[in-house]
Amino acid sequence: MFTKTELAKSIRLAVSLGALSAASFSTLTTAQETPAAEGEALEKISVTGSRIARAELSSPAPVISLSSEEIARFGTPDLGSILAEIPAIAASSSLIGNNNSNEDAGLSAPDLRSLGRDRTLTLVNGIRHVAGAPGSSAIDTGAIPAALIDKVEIITGGASAIYGSDAVSGVINIILKDDFEGFEFNAGVSDSTEGVGTKSHNFSVLAGATSEDGKGNITFFAGKSDIREVLLTDLQQHDYAGTVINPDDGGEDDGIADRFRVPFVGSEMINDFGVINPFGGGPRITFSPDGVGMDQVERINTNSFAFGNFDQAYDTVFFPDNYENYTPAQETVTLASTFRYDFNDNVRMYGDVKYVDKDIRQQFQPAFNFGGLSINVADNPFLDSATRQRLIDGGQDTTVPFSRFFGDLGNRSAANDRELFRVVVGFEGGFELGETVFDYDVFYTHGETKNTRRTLNDVIEDNVTAALDAVIDPATGMAACRSQVPSAQGDDYEDPASVNGGNCVAFNPFGTGNFSAEAADFISGDVLREDEITQDVYGASLSFDTGAFLELPGGAIGVAVGYEYREETSSTITDEFTKAGFYSSAATPDSFGGFDVEEYFIEVSAPLLSDMFLIEELTVDAAYRTADYSHAGNADAWQVGLGWAPIEDLRFRATVSEAVRAPNVTEAFSPVSPGFARVSDPCDADNINEDPDRAANCLALGIPAGFEANDNVSVDTLSGGNTELFSETAESQTIGFVWTPAFIENFSLTVDYYNIEISDAINLVSAQDVADNCVDATGGPDVNFCGQIDRDPTTNDIALVRSGYINAAGFDTDGIEANIRYRTDLSQFDLPGEVRINISATKVLSLDEFEFQTRPDEINVEDGEVGDPSLQWSTSIDYRIDDLNVNWSSRFIDKSALFDVSPGGGSPEDASPNFIDSVWTHDLSAVYYLNDNVSFSAGIRNVFNEVPSGNTFDALYDLIGRRANAGVKVSF
């Protein structure tokens, strides 16, 4: 039978203790609960954040743990949504957080400490996993079925010295079930009780067998899960909320809100039926569904040039929320297997293989043109006679401007098919040299993700122009494109169509659906992009202790050394029509990139002293890793940890580290590509006083005082990668204690402080920051930033912003985490059953971003804003009696600002209401074990239906409200 020391197990699994957690969700036993017999050596176990096995409670780093039992309580098949409820993890890149992204549609990637998903390293069984998004290192945790997970463990702070690049804010290690024997069937369903329509269901089969001699085991898993699409308008608190200008506002700091939040904020200048004269210059006319002209409704108050509020949700008013997802539709099929075989006592082969197919449907706004179209009043045969005459009578007898959404072609929805394949194979074991036992682990993993992305129902803009220029063909008496009727063309006429102009079919834009299928085909098509991501990793490690030849007063020194080679590539191929710029979507070019890296590491754990007065244990840990990147040069990382237990009941722990993150493929190699961004014009009258230099600099650019920008629509951008980038660095510290008092049995308290400072951070300078820095410079406009902006010479609106990736940003964050756990048998109170209590809290002391680290005065404070609350806590109370386990859990999110809390940023006067009140939700769940083979589970999430107001749809919050889930497990 294979025999392997616990040291070797830590090499591959690198898993941790819930008892070390600063915010532990788990209810694992503490050292007190399972004391070693007198004189018995403590067993060494695997610990996340170290490749050296060690005694329980001896790790210097705080760890968060989430068990499979706790995962099941959430009642969802999406692991990323579960992780996003842990206070340490932001929801910015969860399934819901990515609901407005094409390439990330359906992706769930953890974001520790709100420092960005690419600064969180996610491992599976201690080994890197292929990414889910092109050009990124972020893995899709939604591709890891919850039913296959044994536990998830999380370490805070830089861990690059142990695991390599990307472990800047921390590491998430997902440990899967393996070495399984028997058969297990799981099925679950969840749905809203409030009519939101969030139904999801999943089922899976897990089967495993061990050979008769015990040398081999193989496990198979098959599962399918479905998550139903939910639109923002499906949410019970949704009311099309937005802000409008307060007519009673007297200026800055007058105690009166500049704006107030109201329902039904939309735009009367565009809709699915068509709008003539959207910007004025004549009567603003829209159309009934069958194409008859009528006056457009008027706004009550103004949000901006294009938007205002109305007394109801009129069909003829554009409301953006009508086209936006809260969650996309997602169907996931997973096939997986693990295996191991012991050739002898010193050699074990292990491995796993996985295939995941995710089919995602996500909605976006339909294709549109905001006032850039024109209608020939005299010639267009689809314009009703009354409207034609009205325009002619008003002096508009030639052409008039026209706006329209093309929703009757179908939404510009994302239809993504993401396939993932991953295989891991390795050998582990041990051997002796002299009296020293060495444990080794050698592995190889290959992973690839292929994502076929179709953006449906885009429009070919030039063809739209041709199809809208319709006339009556005198030869047929039917409507036709002017390009097909020579007699209707002037001497200088040029066919505007760019694709198959000879096949032009006249398009009726008035009303909805009043056009032929041939016309729709002529003006529309589907954008196709194909992503391919590959990852290959080779690794080898060796661990031992010096007990045979050297022991410190506290014991033998543990040592681990190793080598890794990794190669990653990413490509995106775009269809020829899109690359040629025919569609309204950005004309993105093909993208290719990749890199390789060689890494060497060493880790040492030195128990300096033990069993002395006020030194029950004193251990120093150290780790160093050096890496050579093909695209970013050398990068070194290190870590030092200290553990000191003055008495058995109290242990102090601390770490200091420097971590690194090399540029990913997108940051280094993406070609200059067009795109879109929302930019709040700093020269707009509403923004002009946010910086003391703005007013003068905007005048210097020729922008008049009182300028009102049309900045509710997207502007064009150009951005790309930078091959001159180098690795960013992060300095992090943690310090805390673990208290397990002997006089309170089965009780533990952990408190930890963390601090992370990132310098030379790689950042895509946002279009907003380019615009702001242009006019916020002292002494005149900044010529470098202003040179990256094109403004419309007539309207002065921003038309184009250029930007790119640079090593210029900085991030600082610190906070405190605490966890209390207690377990007691109620028999001491003459009551039946057992109670387990778990309380976790995170207090963020600061979360600051610096777009340019050389300008510390330009600070962006995130702490306390919506999405980054200052305080979060969670509670869990388990009551277990016989075959029944009942759990009551809760989650608290502190009051958060709806304005920019940065110095010189916003103020509570910006809008009213200006905060989202604190939200405290409660969950109830139960598991009943019918017998040894069958168990039933049921739960109600958000029992009291606590949801925030419709003023936010941030992914951090539970916006669904009360919902129920149920499940069954059959095993034998």
Side-chain angles (χ1 to χ4, degrees):
M1 181 65 66
F2 178 80
T3 56
K4 178 172 175 290
T5 68
E6 296 295 334
L7 281 174
K9 294 179 184 176
S10 68
I11 301 298
R12 178 165 58 92
L13 296 181
V15 299
S16 71
L17 282 174
L20 301 178
S21 169
S24 174
F25 274 41
S26 70
T27 53
L28 302 178
T29 57
T30 65
Q32 267 192 328
E33 296 171 24
T34 55
E38 188 173 350
E40 180 183 343
L42 285 175
E43 179 187 11
K44 292 182 177 181
I45 62 172
S46 306
V47 178
T48 289
S50 173
R51 296 181 182 269
I52 298 175
R54 57 191 69 234
E56 194 170 9
L57 291 180
S58 67
S59 170
V63 180
I64 298 169
S65 179
L66 187 66
S67 70
S68 59
E69 181 180 353
E70 291 160 317
I71 290 172
R73 290 185 196 137
F74 286 84
T76 175
D78 180 56
L79 176 62
S81 299
I82 296 170
L83 295 177
E85 294 198 24
I86 297 176
I89 299 178
S92 57
S93 193
S94 64
L95 180 67
I96 299 168
N98 286 321
N99 62 9
N100 198 32
S101 170
N102 186 329
E103 66 183 28
D104 293 343
L107 189 76
S108 267
D111 176 8
L112 267 169
R113 306 294 174 204
S114 289
L115 294 175
R117 70 184 192 187
D118 288 317
R119 297 184 177 92
T120 298
L121 177 60
T122 303
L123 309 172
V124 177
N125 289 340
I127 296 176
R128 285 180 181 262
H129 191 284
V130 66
S136 169
S137 62
I139 85 164
D140 180 14
T141 57
I144 304 171
L148 196 56
I149 297 171
D150 181 48
K151 55 185 171 181
V152 179
E153 299 187 338
I154 304 159
I155 182 172
T156 291
S160 291
I162 308 298
Y163 298 112
S165 179
D166 307 325
V168 171
S169 56
V171 174
I172 296 176
N173 193 17
I174 301 168
I175 298 98
L176 305 181
K177 298 173 182 177
D178 63 357
D179 221 18
F180 180 81
E181 290 187 68
F183 176 89
E184 182 178 290
F185 171 80
N186 282 276
V189 63
S190 174
D191 200 1
S192 167
T193 63
E194 308 306 306
V196 177
T198 57
K199 187 174 182 179
S200 67
H201 65 268
N202 62 92
F203 65 86
S204 64
V205 174
L206 178 64
T210 300
S211 61
E212 290 185 6
D213 58 6
K215 288 186 175 183
N217 176 271
I218 188 166
T219 300
F220 292 99
F221 175 88
K224 184 178 185 295
S225 66
D226 289 277
I227 297 175
R228 181 174 293 179
E229 177 186 69
V230 177
L231 293 173
L232 285 182
T233 52
D234 294 331
L235 301 177
Q236 55 188 309
Q237 68 273 34
H238 180 269
D239 60 0
Y240 301 103
T243 64
V244 294
I245 297 170
N246 186 355
D248 298 326
D249 178 36
E252 295 291 328
D253 302 322
D254 62 351
I256 300 174
D258 302 339
R259 291 171 170 265
F260 53 90
R261 300 182 190 276
V262 294
F264 307 118
V265 173
S267 177
E268 73 277 36
M269 299 181 181
I270 189 171
N271 59 31
D272 283 329
F273 309 111
V275 178
I276 288 177
N277 294 321
F279 310 139
R284 184 177 290 127
I285 299 172
T286 188
F287 296 85
S288 64
D290 57 359
V292 177
M294 60 185 187
D295 287 333
Q296 176 64 298
V297 296
E298 296 184 3
R299 67 179 67 174
I300 301 172
N301 296 288
T302 294
N303 165 278
S304 62
F305 168 77
F307 284 78
N309 75 299
F310 301 84
D311 60 357
Q312 59 181 283
Y314 290 100
D315 290 340
T316 61
V317 173
F318 162 61
F319 295 100
D321 294 354
N322 284 335
Y323 309 101
E324 295 185 18
N325 278 120
Y326 176 65
T327 56
Q330 181 172 279
E331 179 181 288
T332 306
V333 175
T334 304
L335 301 173
S337 177
T338 65
F339 56 90
R340 56 95 177 159
Y341 184 78
D342 303 336
F343 291 98
N344 54 47
D345 289 350
N346 299 313
V347 180
R348 165 177 286 181
M349 181 180 72
Y350 66 87
D352 64 78
V353 61
K354 176 176 67 173
Y355 171 79
V356 181
D357 185 7
K358 294 182 73 171
D359 194 12
I360 303 121
R361 295 293 181 271
Q362 183 153 302
Q363 301 301 317
F364 301 106
Q365 289 181 6
F368 67 93
N369 191 301
F370 190 52
L373 300 172
S374 62
I375 299 296
N376 189 303
V377 175
D379 292 346
N380 193 293
F382 301 118
L383 185 65
D384 68 277
S385 56
T387 302
R388 188 192 323 275
Q389 192 61 48
R390 181 181 179 188
L391 291 169
I392 292 173
D393 292 345
Q396 292 185 295
D397 55 358
T398 54
T399 61
V400 290
F402 185 70
S403 290
R404 193 184 197 274
F405 271 100
F406 293 89
D408 40 7
L409 296 174
N411 284 1
R412 252 188 317 186
S413 56
N416 291 6
D417 184 11
R418 183 180 292 123
E419 294 180 284
L420 183 148
F421 173 77
R422 180 176 185 258
V423 61
V424 178
V425 63
F427 295 88
E428 61 182 2
F431 60 89
E432 290 188 24
L433 288 178
E435 296 182 359
T436 301
V437 177
F438 292 84
D439 292 314
Y440 68 86
D441 187 5
V442 180
F443 71 89
Y444 165 72
T445 178
H446 170 78
E448 58 185 55
T449 300
K450 294 182 179 180
N451 188 16
T452 300
R453 293 186 276 143
R454 292 180 176 85
T455 305
L456 309 179
N457 307 309
D458 206 347
V459 294
I460 305 169
E461 293 188 307
D462 292 344
N463 284 22
V464 170
T465 300
L468 261 62
D469 188 12
V471 297
I472 293 295
D473 185 348
T476 65
M478 304 293 291
C481 300
R482 188 182 302 272
S483 62
Q484 308 305 304
V485 184
S487 62
Q489 302 168 7
D491 293 338
D492 298 325
Y493 178 81
E494 292 185 6
D495 184 357
S498 55
V499 179
N500 299 326
N503 297 327
C504 183
V505 179
F507 183 90
N508 181 357
F510 309 117
T512 180
N514 299 319
F515 48 81
S516 67
E518 292 78 12
D521 290 341
F522 179 71
I523 71 167
S524 66
D526 297 339
V527 176
L528 175 65
R529 293 182 175 92
E530 295 180 300
D531 307 318
E532 183 170 354
I533 309 161
T534 68
Q535 180 190 70
D536 291 275
V537 184
Y538 303 83
S541 57
L542 190 69
S543 61
F544 62 94
D545 67 47
T546 63
F549 55 89
L550 174 64
E551 285 211 17
L552 300 177
I557 300 173
V559 181
V561 296
Y563 165 83
E564 284 188 8
Y565 173 82
R566 175 164 50 99
E567 184 175 322
E568 302 206 7
T569 68
S570 180
S571 66
T572 298
I573 307 300
T574 303
D575 71 84
E576 296 300 327
F577 266 39
T578 303
K579 285 189 290 189
F582 294 143
Y583 290 122
S584 64
S585 298
T588 52
D590 293 340
S591 176
F592 303 91
F595 64 87
D596 60 76
V597 56
E598 281 192 295
E599 302 178 89
Y600 298 88
F601 62 86
I602 182 171
E603 182 183 359
V604 176
S605 180
L608 301 180
L609 299 170
S610 65
D611 301 324
M612 298 177 62
F613 178 67
L614 292 183
I615 306 179
E616 187 70 24
E617 179 204 342
L618 181 63
T619 300
V620 173
D621 293 345
Y624 173 77
R625 191 179 190 104
T626 183
D628 183 13
Y629 289 88
S630 61
H631 69 309
N634 293 324
D636 298 329
W638 56 267
Q639 178 175 301
V640 176
L642 175 68
W644 171 47
I647 57 176
E648 288 187 5
D649 294 1
L650 182 63
R651 188 174 195 278
F652 296 95
R653 57 192 183 186
T655 64
V656 179
S657 67
E658 183 173 289
V660 296
R661 185 181 79 86
N664 61 33
V665 172
T666 292
E667 294 162 340
F669 302 111
S670 60
V672 174
S673 304
F676 306 100
R678 293 287 293 273
V679 179
S680 179
D681 196 325
C683 292
D684 185 274
D686 288 339
N687 305 323
I688 197 72
N689 294 317
E690 292 183 2
D691 186 278
D693 297 304
R694 279 190 185 178
N697 288 338
C698 289
L699 285 173
L701 293 174
I703 300 172
F707 170 64
E708 292 188 8
N710 178 21
D711 55 5
N712 271 96
V713 295
S714 299
V715 302
D716 292 331
T717 63
L718 286 173
S719 60
N722 180 0
T723 57
E724 301 300 315
L725 293 173
F726 52 89
S727 296
E728 61 187 36
T729 59
E731 296 181 358
S732 64
Q733 303 87 36
T734 65
I735 184 169
F737 66 85
V738 180
W739 183 43
T740 54
F743 59 87
I744 307 178
E745 189 176 0
N746 301 326
F747 173 89
S748 68
L749 167 67
T750 65
V751 178
D752 289 277
Y753 168 80
Y754 67 88
N755 177 274
I756 303 173
E757 297 181 5
I758 303 175
S759 58
D760 296 323
I762 301 167
N763 196 34
L764 176 64
V765 181
S766 70
Q768 184 67 62
D769 282 318
V770 172
D772 290 347
N773 280 281
C774 166
V775 294
D776 288 351
T778 301
D782 187 304
V783 293
N784 292 320
F785 284 106
C786 291
Q788 304 304 308
I789 301 171
D790 292 348
R791 286 183 178 268
D792 187 292
T794 302
T795 66
N796 288 317
D797 286 325
I798 294 174
L800 173 69
V801 180
R802 303 170 189 85
S803 64
Y805 291 96
I806 55 176
N807 285 98
F811 295 85
D812 294 345
T813 185
D814 68 334
I816 297 173
E817 293 186 321
N819 172 244
I820 297 174
R821 293 188 298 119
Y822 178 59
R823 180 177 66 84
T824 183
D825 191 329
L826 296 179
S827 61
Q828 61 182 311
F829 304 107
D830 295 326
L831 296 171
E834 175 187 273
V835 170
R836 300 186 180 193
I837 299 173
N838 192 337
I839 303 173
S840 302
T842 297
K843 171 65 177 176
V844 179
L845 301 176
S846 68
L847 178 58
D848 302 331
E849 299 180 9
F850 302 88
E851 191 80 16
F852 303 96
Q853 59 190 1
T854 56
R855 297 181 63 177
D857 55 313
E858 296 290 338
I859 182 174
N860 180 14
V861 177
E862 296 290 336
D863 173 33
E865 294 182 1
V866 167
D868 293 300
S870 295
L871 177 65
Q872 294 186 75
W873 76 64
S874 63
T875 63
S876 175
I877 301 175
D878 264 324
Y879 176 66
R880 306 184 181 211
I881 179 171
D882 299 328
D883 297 323
L884 179 65
N885 179 12
V886 179
N887 177 270
W888 184 276
S889 299
S890 72
R891 179 186 181 215
F892 175 84
I893 300 174
D894 200 9
K895 178 180 179 181
S896 301
L898 285 163
F899 59 92
D900 183 358
V901 301
S902 307
S907 81
E909 279 189 23
D910 287 351
S912 177
N914 44 34
F915 286 90
I916 296 296
D917 291 336
S918 60
V919 178
W920 195 355
T921 59
H922 300 262
D923 306 328
L924 176 65
S925 63
V927 179
Y928 178 70
Y929 299 90
L930 182 66
N931 51 45
D932 292 341
N933 305 112
V934 180
S935 63
F936 298 96
S937 61
I940 300 177
R941 301 217 61 201
N942 203 341
V943 173
F944 302 113
N945 197 34
E946 289 288 333
V947 295
S949 70
N951 294 320
T952 183
F953 296 110
D954 191 275
L956 179 69
Y957 295 96
D958 175 5
L959 301 181
I960 298 297
R962 184 166 42 238
R963 55 201 182 277
N965 60 77
V968 61
K969 178 192 289 187
V970 179
S971 58
F972 52 86

